[in-house]
Amino acid sequence: MPVSDVPPGLEPVSSIKVVAAGGDSRWLPYAGKAIFSNVVPIDEREGKILLAFRVDGFGRNKYNPFSGPIQPGSNPLKAATRDLQGQCGLQAVDISKLGKLIVVLEGNAIALDVDVFRTTSWRGDVADTLEVRPRWFSTPTALSSGSPKLPAVPWDQMFEDNKFWFPLVTEGKYFIGRIDFGAPSPGEDVGPLLRYWFATV
């Protein structure tokens, strides 16, 4: 795919495979970026994935990855490890960066620049916190095997873009993506999904 077709905000790369795209090419403008981490714990042996049900803040009443802001000059991997432990009690042992997302919200001049991490090994036990209620779900692979031990990932209780890139995390594929959301209705964090683009690298 031509480098020129990579949406604005993402670093041009020479070899990619587009796995999902929708909407037009009129990407929303933005003036700056706020950097965040997303962490997804995956138990490959048991075929399960841990999600964070937010009880407060951005993403309230939805399932999300474990996430938090990365301060300028901070180490993204260390920040991701810290946020995971603070939000559910797990201390990541094996954690790696698996993706980059640029999320733009209509009417907001600051885009979300998100580093996506995956961990498959950790210490500690899962516990509820003030902000998050962690819950396990079956991975898509476990569901396709015909013998899932847990419910499927609740896509209808997540942000609309997650269904496109979460399977890439469970498969361990490095990816990049751009998401534009429309203006939110009162009480909502984001509006409708306007356009999206995801590719493996």
Side-chain angles (χ1 to χ4, degrees), residues 6 12 24 46 54 56 72 106 111 117 165 174 179:
V6 175
D24 54 42
E46 295 290 331
R54 294 269 169 191
D56 197 13
E106 189 173 17
F117 294 87
W165 61 268
Y174 192 92
I179 307 111

Side-chain angles (χ1 to χ4, degrees), residues 14 23-24 35 37 55 58 72-73 75 80 86-87 91 101 107-108 115 122 133 137 147 157 189:
S14 58
D24 54 42
I35 304 174
S37 67
V55 297
F58 188 86
N75 182 294
Q87 293 174 23
Q91 183 180 2
L101 297 172
N108 192 331
D115 287 331
W122 49 80
R133 294 173 187 159
F137 297 93
S147 57
Q157 292 179 267
D189 291 315

Side-chain angles (χ1 to χ4, degrees), residues 113-159:
D113 184 334
V114 184
D115 287 331
V116 181
F117 294 87
R118 160 187 159 122
T119 179
T120 56
S121 178
W122 49 80
R123 290 189 291 267
D125 297 314
V126 175
D128 289 2
T129 61
L130 292 176
E131 297 179 350
V132 168
R133 294 173 187 159
R135 297 293 183 266
W136 290 104
F137 297 93
S138 290
T139 63
T141 301
L143 288 173
S144 64
S145 71
S147 57
K149 299 178 181 179
L150 295 164
V153 171
W155 302 117
D156 60 338
Q157 292 179 267
M158 303 175 74
F159 289 123

